[in-house]
Amino acid sequence: MSETVENAPAAATGPVRRSRDVPMLVERARAGDPRAVARLITLVESGDEVLPQVAAALAPYAGQAQVVGLTGSPGVGKSTTTNELVRALRARGHRVGVLAIDPSSPFTGGAILGDRVRMQDHATDPGVYIRSMSSRGHLGGLSAATPQAVRVLEGAGCDVVLVETVGVGQAEVEVASLADTTLVLLAPGMGDAIQAVKAGILEIADVFVVNKADRDGADATVRDIQGMIALGERGPGDWRPQVVRSIAARGEGIDDIAAAIDKHRGWLEKHGELRRRREARAAAEIEAIALGALRARIGSLRDGTELATLAAKVAEGAIDPYAAADELLAQLGS
């Protein structure tokens, strides 16, 4: 199911590229047609008016893939680790989808989308689909379209979906709300252990991966993370984050990462946490869609006179901004 066009069925060449026939696209995506998968994700990213139809068609396949998030600061080896994880998962016979989120320019909105270039090892594998997505200014390390793109890959029959965030800082931890299991990658000599202590990283990491473990300072980084984990408050049966060493550039430690993911999956299922996380993910999706609809309606009010009239009243002190907001909400509800 590689995105590379050479692997697509010949019959898919013509109508899929610009098609908005949702039933046909979903049927072909289910059959492993990479062009249909690409087209569905494009419809999702562009916020096309057929997006509700896409979501409805994909709904029966929700929750069928294991979603693994990979995050960490720039330079820790996220793409290399993702590439090697794909190799390990394919060796198990899994169909794998990869969503690699790249930062976008604050000036043009463009992005290099280089992760597909770095994962060329899997470009001709029909059991792998790799999609680079621009963050388009969305904060949190992801793209706003990522949750629906995950649903597309689930519908396309992926057993595992790997979501690689942009290089993130201390507060960009949105991937934890999307993934079943979150890997936080660290590297010796980059101050990552101290950053993890300061940030919300401890709360989101299910597995810590100390990559580039052949570097000086790897042992100290592992000790720092383990000490930080020991200070965390946990009840009986709570998950204790695993700490794994790897040298992804040489393929070392990847099986240990996969084993830690498996162990966490078992814990999620045993304690009912998998269902809770997925319900929380669904709630966040619903909220985001509702808020998007409200913003669109507020934007339509800007084209009229009501918002301008309320703004003028607030500016001259006739009413306060809370009363003006109440009036605005009342108009939105009418």
Side-chain angles (χ1 to χ4, degrees):
M1 195 175 54
S2 171
E3 191 178 5
T4 306
V5 296
E6 287 81 3
N7 291 320
T13 303
V16 170
R17 188 176 296 275
R18 298 188 181 279
S19 175
R20 296 167 80 248
D21 182 345
V22 173
M24 180 271 290
L25 289 172
V26 171
E27 180 181 355
R28 291 195 175 184
R30 294 287 295 164
D33 179 356
R35 285 191 176 89
V37 178
R39 180 58 180 158
L40 286 169
I41 294 180
T42 297
L43 293 173
V44 166
E45 282 195 283
S46 63
D48 193 278
E49 62 182 18
V50 300
L51 183 52
Q53 298 175 41
V54 173
L58 294 172
Y61 313 110
Q64 295 185 10
Q66 181 179 10
V67 183
V68 178
L70 296 92
T71 189
S73 56
V76 297
K78 292 189 299 296
S79 294
T80 306
T81 302
T82 300
N83 188 63
E84 293 303 314
L85 267 178
V86 171
R87 194 186 313 280
L89 292 166
R90 288 295 293 141
R92 297 181 176 187
H94 293 313
R95 299 178 74 181
V96 183
V98 178
L99 295 175
I101 316 302
D102 282 309
S104 57
S105 166
F107 303 105
T108 66
I112 295 176
L113 304 179
D115 290 277
R116 262 187 309 188
V117 176
R118 290 192 286 267
M119 299 182 198
Q120 281 300 302
D121 292 351
H122 309 291
T124 58
D125 186 342
V128 179
Y129 183 90
I130 300 170
R131 174 76 173 221
S132 291
M133 299 175 66
S134 167
S135 63
R136 302 192 180 191
H138 184 76
L139 300 179
L142 299 179
S143 160
T146 306
Q148 290 301 320
V150 168
R151 289 187 179 276
V152 172
L153 293 181
E154 285 184 314
C158 290
D159 302 302
V160 182
V161 177
L162 303 177
V163 181
E164 178 196 330
T165 74
V166 301
V168 298
Q170 295 180 43
E172 294 159 315
V173 293
E174 187 177 336
V175 68
S177 65
L178 177 70
D180 300 323
T181 299
T182 301
L183 309 185
V184 173
L185 275 67
L186 311 169
M190 298 182 66
D192 281 345
I194 300 301
Q195 290 289 71
V197 171
K198 293 193 298 181
I201 296 296
L202 175 61
E203 285 75 24
I204 75 159
D206 299 307
V207 179
F208 287 101
V209 178
V210 179
N211 192 34
K212 305 182 181 181
D214 53 338
R215 289 185 175 182
D216 291 340
D219 290 342
T221 301
V222 171
R223 285 196 303 270
D224 288 344
I225 298 302
Q226 289 175 334
M228 180 183 63
I229 293 171
L231 294 175
E233 295 183 4
R234 288 177 194 83
D238 286 353
W239 174 254
R240 181 184 177 89
Q242 306 287 289
V243 183
V244 181
R245 299 171 187 249
S246 69
I247 308 173
R250 299 207 297 252
E252 296 179 12
I254 302 303
D255 288 340
D256 293 335
I257 296 173
I261 294 172
D262 290 342
K263 185 175 180 180
H264 184 246
R265 174 63 181 248
W267 178 85
L268 289 172
E269 293 175 340
K270 179 179 179 181
H271 292 81
E273 183 69 9
L274 184 62
R275 181 180 180 87
R276 190 202 66 79
R277 289 193 180 197
R278 290 183 171 181
E279 288 178 351
R281 183 192 312 169
E285 282 187 73
I286 295 167
E287 181 180 358
I289 293 168
L291 287 174
L294 283 174
R295 290 191 188 99
R297 295 186 65 182
I298 290 174
S300 66
L301 287 177
R302 287 182 178 273
D303 297 331
T305 61
E306 296 299 333
L307 186 58
T309 299
L310 289 170
K313 289 181 179 179
V314 170
E316 66 188 20
I319 60 173
D320 65 88
Y322 286 93
D326 286 340
E327 286 192 36
L328 185 64
L329 289 173
Q331 292 176 34
L332 288 175
S334 61

